[in-house]
Coordinates of all heavy atoms in Angstrom, one line a residue:
F1 N 10.4 -6.0 63.2 CA 10.4 -7.3 62.6 C 9.4 -7.4 61.4 O 8.6 -6.5 61.2 CB 10.0 -8.4 63.7 CG 8.6 -8.2 64.2 CD1 7.5 -8.7 63.6 CD2 8.4 -7.6 65.4 CE1 6.2 -8.6 64.1 CE2 7.1 -7.4 66.0 CZ 6.0 -8.0 65.3
A2 N 9.5 -8.5 60.7 CA 8.5 -8.7 59.6 C 8.2 -10.2 59.7 O 9.0 -11.1 59.9 CB 9.1 -8.4 58.3
V3 N 6.9 -10.5 59.4 CA 6.4 -11.9 59.4 C 5.4 -12.0 58.3 O 4.5 -11.2 58.1 CB 5.7 -12.2 60.8 CG1 5.0 -13.6 60.7 CG2 6.7 -12.1 61.9
A4 N 5.6 -13.1 57.6 CA 4.6 -13.5 56.5 C 4.0 -14.8 56.9 O 4.7 -15.8 57.3 CB 5.3 -13.6 55.2
I5 N 2.6 -14.9 56.8 CA 1.9 -16.1 57.1 C 1.0 -16.4 55.9 O 0.1 -15.6 55.6 CB 1.1 -15.9 58.4 CG1 2.1 -15.7 59.6 CG2 0.2 -17.1 58.7 CD1 1.5 -15.4 60.9
G6 N 1.1 -17.6 55.3 CA 0.3 -18.0 54.2 C 0.6 -17.1 53.0 O -0.3 -17.0 52.1
W7 N 1.8 -16.6 52.9 CA 2.1 -15.6 51.8 C 3.0 -16.2 50.8 O 4.0 -16.8 51.1 CB 2.8 -14.4 52.5 CG 2.8 -13.2 51.6 CD1 3.6 -12.8 50.6 CD2 1.8 -12.1 51.7 NE1 3.3 -11.6 50.1 CE2 2.1 -11.2 50.7 CE3 0.7 -11.9 52.5 CZ2 1.4 -10.0 50.5 CZ3 -0.1 -10.7 52.3 CH2 0.3 -9.8 51.3
A8 N 2.6 -16.1 49.5 CA 3.5 -16.5 48.4 C 4.8 -15.8 48.5 O 4.9 -14.6 48.8 CB 2.8 -16.4 47.1
D9 N 5.9 -16.5 48.2 CA 7.3 -15.9 48.2 C 7.5 -15.3 49.6 O 8.1 -14.2 49.7 CB 7.4 -14.8 47.1 CG 7.4 -15.4 45.7 OD1 7.9 -16.6 45.6 OD2 6.8 -14.8 44.9
A10 N 7.1 -16.0 50.7 CA 7.2 -15.5 52.0 C 8.7 -15.1 52.4 O 8.9 -14.0 52.9 CB 6.7 -16.5 53.0
E11 N 9.6 -15.9 52.0 CA 11.0 -15.7 52.4 C 11.6 -14.4 51.8 O 12.1 -13.6 52.4 CB 11.9 -16.9 52.1 CG 13.3 -16.8 52.6 CD 14.1 -18.1 52.4 OE1 13.4 -19.1 52.0 OE2 15.3 -18.1 52.6
L12 N 11.4 -14.3 50.5 CA 11.9 -13.2 49.7 C 11.2 -11.9 50.2 O 11.8 -10.8 50.4 CB 11.7 -13.4 48.2 CG 12.1 -12.2 47.3 CD1 13.5 -11.9 47.5 CD2 11.7 -12.5 45.9
T13 N 9.9 -12.0 50.4 CA 9.1 -10.8 50.8 C 9.5 -10.3 52.2 O 9.8 -9.1 52.4 CB 7.6 -11.2 50.9 OG1 7.1 -11.6 49.6 CG2 6.8 -9.9 51.3
V14 N 9.7 -11.2 53.2 CA 10.2 -10.8 54.5 C 11.6 -10.2 54.4 O 11.9 -9.2 55.1 CB 10.1 -12.0 55.5 CG1 10.9 -11.7 56.8 CG2 8.6 -12.2 55.8
A15 N 12.5 -10.8 53.6 CA 13.8 -10.2 53.5 C 13.8 -8.8 53.0 O 14.5 -7.9 53.5 CB 14.6 -11.1 52.6
R16 N 12.9 -8.5 52.0 CA 12.8 -7.2 51.5 C 12.2 -6.2 52.5 O 12.6 -5.0 52.6 CB 12.0 -7.2 50.2 CG 12.6 -7.9 49.1 CD 11.7 -8.0 47.8 NE 11.5 -6.6 47.4 CZ 10.5 -6.3 46.5 NH1 9.7 -7.2 46.0 NH2 10.4 -5.0 46.1
L17 N 11.3 -6.7 53.3 CA 10.7 -5.8 54.4 C 11.7 -5.4 55.4 O 11.8 -4.3 55.8 CB 9.5 -6.5 55.1 CG 8.2 -6.8 54.2 CD1 7.3 -7.6 55.0 CD2 7.6 -5.4 53.9
I18 N 12.6 -6.4 55.8 CA 13.6 -6.1 56.8 C 14.6 -5.1 56.2 O 15.1 -4.2 57.0 CB 14.4 -7.4 57.1 CG1 13.4 -8.3 58.0 CG2 15.6 -7.1 57.9 CD1 13.0 -7.7 59.3
D19 N 14.9 -5.1 54.9 CA 15.8 -4.1 54.3 C 15.2 -2.7 54.5 O 16.0 -1.7 54.5 CB 16.0 -4.4 52.8 CG 16.9 -5.6 52.6 OD1 17.7 -5.9 53.5 OD2 16.9 -6.1 51.4
G20 N 13.9 -2.6 54.7 CA 13.3 -1.3 54.9 C 13.3 -0.8 56.3 O 12.9 0.4 56.5
I21 N 13.7 -1.6 57.3 CA 13.7 -1.2 58.7 C 15.1 -1.4 59.3 O 15.2 -1.7 60.5 CB 12.6 -1.8 59.5 CG1 12.7 -3.4 59.4 CG2 11.2 -1.3 59.1 CD1 11.7 -4.1 60.3
L22 N 16.1 -1.3 58.5 CA 17.5 -1.6 59.1 C 17.8 -0.6 60.2 O 18.6 -0.9 61.1 CB 18.5 -1.5 58.0 CG 18.4 -2.6 56.9 CD1 19.5 -2.5 55.9 CD2 18.5 -4.0 57.5
H23 N 17.3 0.6 60.2 CA 17.6 1.6 61.2 C 17.1 1.3 62.5 O 17.5 1.8 63.5 CB 17.0 3.0 60.8 CG 15.5 2.9 60.4 ND1 15.1 2.6 59.1 CD2 14.4 3.0 61.2 CE1 13.7 2.6 59.1 NE2 13.3 2.8 60.3
R24 N 16.2 0.3 62.6 CA 15.6 -0.1 63.9 C 16.4 -1.0 64.8 O 16.0 -1.3 65.9 CB 14.2 -0.7 63.7 CG 13.2 0.2 63.1 CD 11.8 -0.4 63.1 NE 11.2 -0.5 64.4 CZ 10.4 0.4 65.0 NH1 10.1 1.5 64.3 NH2 9.9 0.2 66.2
G25 N 17.6 -1.4 64.3 CA 18.5 -2.2 65.1 C 19.9 -2.2 64.6 O 20.2 -1.4 63.7
D26 N 20.7 -3.1 65.2 CA 22.1 -3.2 64.8 C 22.5 -4.5 64.2 O 23.7 -4.7 63.9 CB 23.0 -2.7 65.9 CG 22.8 -3.5 67.2 OD1 22.2 -4.6 67.1 OD2 23.2 -3.0 68.2
I27 N 21.6 -5.5 64.2 CA 21.9 -6.8 63.7 C 20.6 -7.4 63.1 O 19.5 -7.2 63.6 CB 22.5 -7.7 64.7 CG1 23.0 -9.0 64.1 CG2 21.5 -8.0 65.9 CD1 23.8 -9.9 65.1
T28 N 20.8 -8.1 62.0 CA 19.6 -8.8 61.4 C 19.8 -10.3 61.8 O 20.7 -10.9 61.4 CB 19.6 -8.7 59.9 OG1 19.5 -7.3 59.5 CG2 18.4 -9.4 59.3

């Protein structure tokens, strides 16, 4: 998982982090 708290562009940043760990599961 990825979580942003008090982070500018939180939504875009978390989406990019998840793209880096797609191997850890089978559904986003």
Side-chain angles (χ1 to χ4, degrees):
F1 66 82
V3 173
I5 297 175
W7 200 273
D9 296 322
E11 185 172 353
L12 176 61
T13 301
V14 166
R16 293 178 63 193
L17 291 174
I18 290 296
D19 284 342
I21 56 172
L22 294 180
H23 50 272
R24 294 187 71 93
D26 54 16
I27 188 173
T28 299

